[in-house]
Amino acid sequence: MAEAVIPAPQRIVTGLKPLVLLVGVAAAIAAGVGVMLWSVGPTYSLLYGGLSGEDAAQVAQSLDGGGIPYKLEDGGQSIHVPSAQIAAARLRLASQGLPEGGGGVNAITKDPSFGVSAFMESARYQHALETELARTIASLQNVQGARVHLALARQSAFVSDRKPGSASVFLQIKAGRRLDDEQTQAIANLVASSIPEMQASQVTIIDQAGRLLSAPNTESDHAVRDKMFEFAHRLEESYAQRIQELLTPLVGPGRVRAQVVAQVDMATTESTREQFNPQSQVVRSESTSEEAARNGAGNAGGVPGALTNQPPQPGVALPPGATPAVAQSGATPPAAAGATTTPNNATGNSVTGPDSTSRQSTRNYEIDRTMAYTRTPAGRVTRLTVAVLVDNLRTTSADGKVTETPLPPEQVERLTALVRDAVGFDAARGDSVNVVNSSFLGTPPVEEGELETIPIWEKAWFQNIAKIVAGLVVLLIVVFSVLKPLTRGLLNAAKGPALRQGAIAAAVAAGGAPGAVGAEAPQLQYEQQVAQARGLVTQDPKRGAQVVKQWVQADE
């Protein structure tokens, strides 16, 4: 009978296999315990981020003094503490005035200025002003961080030599947020109002992507084009939002989509008009003058009682030897004998001619006149094109089955009328409104409001649940991928000698050598092999003892 010889390396591997299995089981158990301890351990939350080296060192020293555990991340710029102790940590740091923020007005009040030059005083004040402005801007809702750089010229005693300063602002916008023109202009006005004699046009604002948010030269072609595009875009968004808010209560949230294209005339026009109406006349002024004149000597006029305005008395012939009497004022001289006296106003002694009369009249008429000055500003809508897509009606039955139903034509017409009224439809300028009813693919997302300040994955309760779930998943992976195969290997190693003994017995019964067992052993079952081995040993004990002796010698 030939002896089965097992090589030495195979014998070493066979001997070390149980030890390796035990080490693997111990490592798997240690990994599972570590994962469980990590999953039930405290969750760390961000205390402060973006700290300078000095501020991080002061905050860490204060936390050590209070016995609060912490972890440094992001190269020492962020400090994390357990979520349960974050409020206590912030109160402790606030009581100590930490973190200081690396400057600002606090640095000026903290550091004495005795012995410091005027240049250093000015530089420190400018740096403190920049820091305070950056902090104020960073406190806005959509801004994550900000830096401000001021360029202030030295002021002269002469007013004509004074130069205004300028400023540049670098903004780091939060993810998913944007700044509109009003917010950008507000930041520019904030910086300009903080510096004497600085205009908002001297403030330049850019974001982390290098985009210019402010337009210092508002008269340039680029700035005007951007304004035109922004105005048209905001107008289209306003119309689209108005349509969606109007139709959402009728068709349901997320089941209406609207797009508006607005053609806007950005040209500014001015016109002056003057119009006359000859049919409407009004007398503005009238002047009349009249003159009357009489020819002859009669009826001399004058002021009563004035002698100079009276004509001389007519002469009277006296008889020879008569002495003329002295005429008195206002007296009538005595008439001579046989003479006839004629009054001054008598027409018998006066020569009269025709009277002359002159009359002149002047009238000024005003014609109705209308003057109009019209100035049409930029931004006049010349045409609107509206496209609205409405989803089908969905109804859910009692068994949970969803049924889609197209909108009837009457309802589509009513929706079209509502859209026309919402956008101010004007057929004279060529407006177009098209409402289409069609089925949306998939469930339309519900429109949400503003983004949360803190994402849900950064909240403490979410992190705690995630850690527990991750720990359970890792533990199950260790159990099913490591512990279970190792346990199966140990059980197979324990059954190996019995299987081998039964196989050897079967080989002896067949008259073969132990080395030939490997070819026939897989064909026999374990119970049959054991029964055959027992039967052979009972029938021929000597032969069985000899086989066992050879087997022992082969394993040495």
Side-chain angles (χ1 to χ4, degrees), residues 47-48 51 55-64 79 93 98-99:
L47 180 62
Y48 288 109
L51 298 175
D55 291 338
Q58 294 178 357
V59 171
Q61 184 178 2
S62 176
L63 295 177
D64 288 335
I79 296 182
L93 295 176
L98 297 176

Side-chain angles (χ1 to χ4, degrees), residues 282-288 360-366:
V282 179
V283 178
R284 181 178 181 182
S285 62
E286 181 179 4
S287 62
T288 304
Q360 184 179 2
S361 177
T362 303
R363 292 181 181 179
N364 296 326
Y365 290 92
E366 196 70 39

Side-chain angles (χ1 to χ4, degrees), residues 345-369:
N345 56 358
T347 60
N349 295 332
S350 61
V351 180
T352 61
D355 297 338
S356 61
T357 302
S358 175
R359 178 177 296 176
Q360 184 179 2
S361 177
T362 303
R363 292 181 181 179
N364 296 326
Y365 290 92
E366 196 70 39
I367 301 177
D368 187 12
R369 182 179 64 170

